[in-house]
Amino acid sequence: MRPIERGVNLKLFKEYGDARDDLINQLGAYCSYCEMRIPTPAVEHIQPKSLPNGLELAWDNFLLACNSCNSVKKDKNIDDNNLNNYFWADSDNPFRAFYYEQNRAPQISTSLTDFQQQIAKNTLELTGIDREPLHPKLSKKDRRWKERNEAWDDALSVKEDFKSNSSEEMKNTIIRLAKAKGFWSVWMTVFADDINMRYLLIQEFKGTSQACFDASMQPIHRAGGQI
Ligand SMILES: [Zn+2]
């Protein structure tokens, strides 16, 4: 899961849907949970818009979500009391919480403490980003796993091309493809051994939290976050 910076936005939105363009400008048109690229992502409320405390229109309560993540998370009651039971793209570095492998749902990093592993598990359950064939709750409409696998195949394929042609032009082509496909974590994983490509992925995917990475482009603890 990509760590993101939503930034400051002082606009007063009349409806939460009015924030969508600003969110896309800031974060790119990607689901904040599964990282799928979606032309028209929904404005997602971290805490439900029904809570009676102005959160319906609060910029800091917004993320972007695909239909699948949105509908899995829909009924969960997130409030100030249980917010820290989950990792969040805008306040943690959730790239440290999960690892990615070909044809496999995101897995919980084994280097986490038991406490952090529980939070990671809660986060998977909250969003269903680990749903794949054989998962008992996978719905027919849920294409997240398929799109993620396709992004992985594309990333592997261009990495192979990159071995014989590591020109600037080729780097740009790879970044363009990554942005078109989405699943930033997949690209970061496939190009894990290439600091320069990781740097470009962090720079070029709008709104990625650069402070979540060290000079070697390894993920680090997010200041103020749980991970
Ligand atoms: Zn999603």
Side-chain angles (χ1 to χ4, degrees), residues 166-185:
S166 56
S167 64
E168 288 304 309
E169 198 185 347
M170 179 57 107
K171 285 181 195 169
N172 291 335
T173 301
I174 292 172
I175 295 297
R176 267 205 308 276
L177 182 65
K179 287 166 74 173
K181 285 283 173 179
F183 296 101
W184 175 88
S185 293

Side-chain angles (χ1 to χ4, degrees), residues 31 34 66 69 144:
C31 176
C34 71
C66 71
C69 289
R144 294 175 291 181

Side-chain angles (χ1 to χ4, degrees), residues 30-36 38 64-70 127 129 144 183:
Y30 307 100
C31 176
S32 303
Y33 301 115
C34 71
E35 307 182 1
M36 185 157 61
I38 10 167
L64 289 169
C66 71
N67 284 340
S68 295
C69 289
N70 214 348
T127 57
I129 58 172
R144 294 175 291 181
F183 296 101

Side-chain angles (χ1 to χ4, degrees), residues 67-97:
N67 284 340
S68 295
C69 289
N70 214 348
S71 68
V72 174
K73 180 175 171 286
K74 199 167 231 153
D75 301 329
K76 316 282 180 10
N77 276 324
I78 308 292
D79 56 33
D80 286 339
N81 296 319
N82 65 9
L83 201 58
N84 286 348
N85 290 354
Y86 307 93
F87 290 131
W88 299 100
D90 64 326
S91 55
D92 295 305
N93 184 355
F95 189 59
R96 299 182 72 214

Side-chain angles (χ1 to χ4, degrees), residues 135-166:
H135 189 290
K137 291 184 177 170
L138 180 71
S139 78
K140 280 190 182 143
K141 278 187 186 167
D142 188 346
R143 290 182 47 86
R144 294 175 291 181
W145 64 276
K146 209 170 180 36
E147 302 276 347
R148 187 182 58 245
N149 289 351
E150 284 177 17
W152 190 287
D153 291 345
D154 284 335
L156 279 187
S157 165
V158 287
K159 196 184 180 196
E160 201 53 39
D161 297 342
F162 189 54
K163 282 182 189 161
S164 53
N165 173 8
S166 56

